[in-house]
Structures are given as structure tokens and as C-alpha cells.
């Protein structure tokens, strides 16, 4: 594309401080710089925005104003054109943003293109190509096993050998803030009776990370572990809404289907993987059994030191930690392509529900209420086993950044509305 050269030729500069008035501890400061798709009343065209503090840089217009020819890929209504350019362009784009937000000589050119966040409308940041949801938290997998199959081994036989997952429904991925309608479906009836049909009575959440993929590949090629970072653009929070009653009846033996395909919410902002350079941690032990070489590579697999918080209405119900995930995003991507399956720009990989060893770090109500047998109490005194109509679920996350800063992943929020 014509803007590839311009994006790849920009100057690298080590970040210092921005000329903007952004508090040092702001989770969307200079070290984060997430990308989203915005529109405004004054300009209803959807285009790429970059968040800095509580402002949004109208990135394409600013790039043009500042003489950067790359503006075209930031004037498109999704991030997919930028994702298609690959890792050198992603790095150069980020370097350019840091340059113009730190060098005061750019101030006059850039400042007119900063918009208060509150004045923007946020849209789905990517045109989701294929959506895969993994199952990478050992505590979650063991908990679900104990709840649904108390007499069987804790983990499926393949779980320790590969990051298992399923292909989800890309077309129902929605942006944070979108209401979620309680889905209808079939659930198991009483013994000897036919199944029941109606609105789900066990509507649940799953707190996950979503990895946004770029740099499409050709069918028949593999992306090995060393090349996987070249295809991992960024991170969102992902709420994999799950109707447990529908899921439980339909999913044997083929796995999740209508119990999950009605909606999956993601953050409006994609925090680049580059922002997490200082927040990569070794994943929990993969020594016994040792993964096959294609999942092992030369280096120890690295997870993300991301702290999540899950709220139902005003109550924090869980604080999962992404470092608990057994499989790294690079391993997920290498496994996804080991059979020659191609990648598309805008692919979305869910990590699977993130649960830790303590009750307060479980990433689903299924686990928090232990299959509905131990309801949790909210701050208003009401109890929940599963979600009620009107409940608002909010997930946020941060990771440690340079100089004691915080790298934010934008909230994903959704409200449950009654079945129709
Ligand atoms: Ca899931």
C-alpha cells in the first residue's frame, strides 16, 4: 500500500514526557496509547483515534497535518487496514505518536486534533475476521471440570499438551457499552421430560483477554513461535457472555454453540502489545509434561502481568490475574496455525476465562457461585448466582509500566436487558 513506506520510515524516539497535561499515574498515558475507532458529532465519519489521558487524537487527520503520509490507514472505519501493514508499520506508527506527543515543536500541528474523550462515540475497533476462544486457565478448566463432571479427571486429556479452543461467532462480537439481550434457547428438562425452551435462566460472564491479530498469512503456512509476535497487534478485554443452561444441554459432544454465540463484548480500545514489553512474565510451569517443540521454542513462554477487576453493578466480585494463564498468546497463535490454517487481519483470540486459585479471583459466576450452589452477595445486599436483567458487568485491567506507570486495557462493559 502507498502508505507503507511512510509508516516504516518514521523516526524512532525514546519516550520522555508528553507536552500534554496527563497525570503520571494515568492508565492511558504516554506508555499506553491504545487505538480505537471514533466518530464525533462534527465529523460522523468513523476513523482511527488514539487515546492519551482523557483525550483522543484524531490520528489520521493529525498525521496529514503533520506531514506524515500514513494518514490514509488511520482514516479508515476499522483498524484492519493498519493491522494489515504488519509489525514494522505498527512500531513506526507508535514511534511517530510518541514523537509528536513529546516533541513540543509538533504541538501546534497536533493540538487541534485532540478531542475530549467524552465528545467521541466509540465503535467496534476491528472488523472481526475469525474469532477463536481458548481455554488457557488451569484453575478455570479444573473448576469447570469439578462443577460439571465431579467424577471425571480434573482436566481434559489434551489440556496439558496444547492450548485447546473452539471457533466462535465473529459476527456477534460487539463493542463495550452494547446492551446484551438475554438469549432464548433449549435447556435440559426434568428427568424423562422433553427439553424446555425460553430465556436463559443461567446467564453468565467470562473474564478474558482478547488478542487482536494482524499480518494475514496464506493457507498452508505455519506461524512458528518466534514469528508469532509479528502477528499479535494488541490486547482488549473480552467478556464471553455464556448461557450456562443452553450451553450445558447442547455442548456434548461438540462444544459451545448457541450458549455463547449471541454476544461477545470487547473493549473499544486496543492496547498495543508493544506497551506490555515490561509486563511479560513466565507462564506457570510447562515442564511436566513438556510441550512439543512447536509450542516450546527457544525461550520460556511469556504471559502478561495484567490485573483484572470484574464488577457486577457497583460490587467488585473478582480480581483475576492474567499471569495465571498456562498458555501464552504466542503459543495460542502457533498452535492455531500448526495445521496450516491461515490468519486474517482482524482475527480475535480469546484467552479463555481467567481464574486464579482463590475464590475471589474466579472469572465467571459459574465458579464464583460454584454452579449456583453458593450465591454471592452484592454490596446492595442482593445475591446472585447468575445475572439478572438490568445487571451491568464491567471489567477493567492494568499492567505495570515503565517508571511505576500503569498500562491500561480499556473497560469492557455490558448491561443485561430482558429477553425479547
Ligand atoms: Ca470463553
Amino acid at each position: 500500500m502507498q502508505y507503507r513506506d511512510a509508516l516504516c520510515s518514521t523516526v524512532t524516539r525514546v519516550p520522555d514526557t508528553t507536552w500534554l497535561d496527563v497525570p503520571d499515574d494515568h492508565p492511558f498515558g504516554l506508555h499506553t496509547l491504545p487505538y480505537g475507532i471514533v466518530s464525533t458529532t462534527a465529523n460522523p465519519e468513523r476513523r482511527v483515534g488514539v487515546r492519551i489521558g482523557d483525550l483522543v487524537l484524531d490520528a489520521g487527520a493529525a498525521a496529514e497535518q503533520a506531514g506524515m503520509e500514513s494518514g490514509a490507514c488511520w482514516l479508515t472505519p476499522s483498524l484492519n487496514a493498519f493491522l494489515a501493514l504488519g509489525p514494522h508499520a505498527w512500531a513506526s506508527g507508535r514511534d511517530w505518536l510518541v514523537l509528536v506527543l513529546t516533541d513540543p515543536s509538533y504541538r501546534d500541528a497536533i493540538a487541534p486534533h485532540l478531542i475530549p474523550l467524552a465528545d467521541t462515540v466509540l465503535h467496534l475497533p476491528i472488523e472481526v475476521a475469525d474469532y477463536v476462544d481458548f481455554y488457557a486457565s488451569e484453575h478455570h478448566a479444573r473448576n469447570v471440570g469439578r462443577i460439571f463432571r465431579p467424577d471425571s479427571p480434573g482436566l481434559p486429556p489434551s489440556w496439558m499438551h496444547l492450548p485447546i479452543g473452539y471457533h466462535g461467532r465473529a459476527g456477534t462480537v460487539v463493542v463495550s457499552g452494547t446492551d446484551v439481550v438475554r438469549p432464548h434457547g433449549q435447556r435440559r428438562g426434568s428427568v424423562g421430560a422433553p427439553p424446555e425452551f425460553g430465556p436463559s435462566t443461567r446467564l453468565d460472564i467470562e473474564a478474558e483477554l482478547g488478542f487482536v491479530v494482524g499480518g494475514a498469512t496464506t493457507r498452508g503456512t505455519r506461524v512458528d513461535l518466534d514469528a508469532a509476535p509479528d502477528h499479535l497487534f494488541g490486547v482488549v478485554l473480552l467478556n464471553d457472555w455464556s448461557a450456562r443452561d443452553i450451553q450445558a444441554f447442547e455442548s456434548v459432544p461438540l462444544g459451545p454453540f448457541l450458549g455463547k454465540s449471541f454476544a461477545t463484548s470487547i473493549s473499544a480500545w486496543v492496547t498495543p502489545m508493544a506497551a506490555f514489553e515490561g509486563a511479560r512474565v513466565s507462564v506457570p510451569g510447562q515442564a511436566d509434561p513438556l510441550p512439543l517443540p512447536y509450542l516450546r521454542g527457544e525461550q520460556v513462554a511469556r504471559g502478561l502481568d495484567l490485573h483484572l477487576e470484574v464488577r457486577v453493578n457497583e460490587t467488585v466480585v473478582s480480581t483475576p490475574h492474567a499471569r495465571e494463564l498456562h498458555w501464552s498468546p504466542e503459543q495460542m497463535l502457533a498452535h492455531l496455525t500448526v495445521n496450516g490454517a491461515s490468519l486474517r487481519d482482524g482475527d480475535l483470540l480469546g484467552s479463555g476465562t481467567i481464574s486464579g486459585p482463590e475464590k475471589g479471583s474466579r472469572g465467571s459466576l459459574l465458579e464464583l457461585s460454584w454452579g449456583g450452589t453458593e450465591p454471592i452477595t452484592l454490596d446492595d445486599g442482593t445475591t446472585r448466582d447468575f445475572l439478572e436483567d438490568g445487571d451491568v458487568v464491567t471489567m477493567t485491567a492494568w499492567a505495570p509500566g515503565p517508571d511505576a506507570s500503569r498500562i491500561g486495557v480499556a473497560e469492557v462493559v455490558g448491561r443485561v436487558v430482558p429477553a425479547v
Side-chain angles (χ1 to χ4, degrees):
M1 297 183 185
Q2 62 181 8
Y3 38 80
R4 177 187 293 271
D5 291 342
L7 261 181
C8 291
S9 63
T10 51
V11 179
T12 300
R13 180 188 161 109
V14 177
D16 187 10
T17 55
T18 177
W19 44 263
L20 282 159
D21 184 20
V22 180
D24 290 342
D25 60 350
H26 199 295
F28 299 101
L30 190 63
H31 300 295
T32 306
L33 299 180
Y35 295 89
I37 295 295
V38 303
S39 64
T40 55
T41 303
N43 180 0
E45 291 290 323
R46 299 185 185 195
R47 71 272 191 193
V48 175
V50 175
R51 183 171 176 184
I52 173 91
D54 294 322
L55 296 169
V56 175
L57 179 66
D58 200 337
E64 285 191 337
Q65 174 81 26
M68 185 192 188
E69 295 175 18
S70 66
C73 75
W74 286 339
L75 290 169
T76 52
S78 82
L79 288 173
N80 288 43
F82 188 43
L83 294 174
L85 296 183
H88 298 297
W90 305 341
S92 296
R94 186 170 170 84
D95 288 342
W96 182 82
L97 290 165
V98 171
L99 172 69
V100 300
L101 293 170
T102 52
D103 185 338
S105 70
Y106 286 90
R107 183 175 190 147
D108 289 348
I110 296 299
H113 300 289
L114 290 165
I115 308 163
L117 177 64
D119 292 348
T120 61
V121 177
L122 303 177
H123 305 277
L124 192 64
I126 56 173
E127 185 179 343
V128 182
D130 289 305
Y131 164 44
V132 172
D133 197 17
F134 286 94
Y135 196 55
S137 162
E138 181 174 352
H139 292 290
H140 174 67
R142 288 191 184 278
N143 286 340
V144 171
R146 281 202 289 270
I147 292 168
F148 284 131
R149 301 175 295 275
D151 299 328
S152 67
L155 291 173
S158 63
W159 197 93
M160 280 289 186
H161 299 280
L162 52 92
I164 63 175
Y166 68 94
H167 284 89
R169 192 161 189 82
T172 51
V173 176
V174 298
V175 69
S176 175
T178 305
D179 286 346
V180 172
V181 179
R182 182 179 296 274
H184 276 75
Q186 293 195 39
R187 58 179 168 269
R188 189 174 292 120
S190 48
V191 176
E196 298 174 359
F197 179 79
S200 171
T201 59
R202 304 188 105 202
L203 184 57
D204 197 358
I205 58 172
E206 293 193 338
E208 307 191 17
L209 301 182
F211 302 105
V212 173
V213 170
T217 61
T218 307
R219 186 165 55 89
T221 61
R222 296 177 180 176
V223 176
D224 66 27
L225 268 183
D226 292 338
D230 292 345
H231 298 273
L232 289 166
F233 172 75
V235 178
V236 291
L237 285 170
L238 185 151
N239 185 351
D240 178 20
W241 303 91
S242 301
R244 300 300 183 193
D245 43 354
I246 299 170
Q247 180 187 355
F249 185 51
E250 72 180 2
S251 63
V252 181
L254 291 185
F257 190 32
L258 303 192
K260 287 173 176 285
S261 62
F262 55 94
T264 305
S265 299
I266 62 171
S267 309
W269 298 99
V270 184
T271 300
M273 286 295 284
F276 297 107
E277 275 304 308
R280 300 301 301 263
V281 291
S282 298
V283 300
Q286 295 185 345
D288 184 21
L290 206 57
L292 289 178
Y294 80 90
L295 290 171
R296 208 158 68 219
E298 297 295 318
Q299 298 178 344
V300 175
R302 296 192 304 162
L304 287 161
D305 190 14
L306 264 165
H307 304 249
L308 281 73
E309 182 178 277
V310 181
R311 294 200 305 272
V312 174
N313 302 329
E314 300 305 317
T315 304
V316 175
V317 298
S318 182
T319 53
H321 200 309
R323 70 187 305 156
E324 302 281 352
L325 292 169
H326 183 85
W327 298 102
S328 74
E330 288 81 8
Q331 288 174 313
M332 294 174 194
L333 200 139
H335 182 64
L336 174 64
T337 61
V338 75
N339 66 346
S342 51
L343 297 176
R344 296 203 287 168
D345 302 313
D347 280 357
L348 177 66
L349 314 182
S351 64
T353 311
I354 304 170
S355 292
E358 305 88 16
K359 180 171 182 176
S361 61
R362 297 171 185 163
S364 68
L365 291 173
L366 175 74
E367 296 161 90
L368 288 164
S369 72
W370 208 252
T373 62
E374 302 172 13
I376 59 172
T377 302
L378 305 185
D379 291 347
D380 64 2
T382 62
T383 60
R384 293 290 184 284
D385 45 9
F386 296 95
L387 294 170
E388 295 187 356
D389 291 343
D391 281 348
V392 175
V393 179
T394 307
M395 300 176 185
T396 57
W398 64 273
D403 304 325
S405 63
R406 285 191 170 193
I407 307 297
V409 181
E411 68 175 13
V412 61
V413 58
R415 180 175 59 131
V416 178
V417 299
V420 292

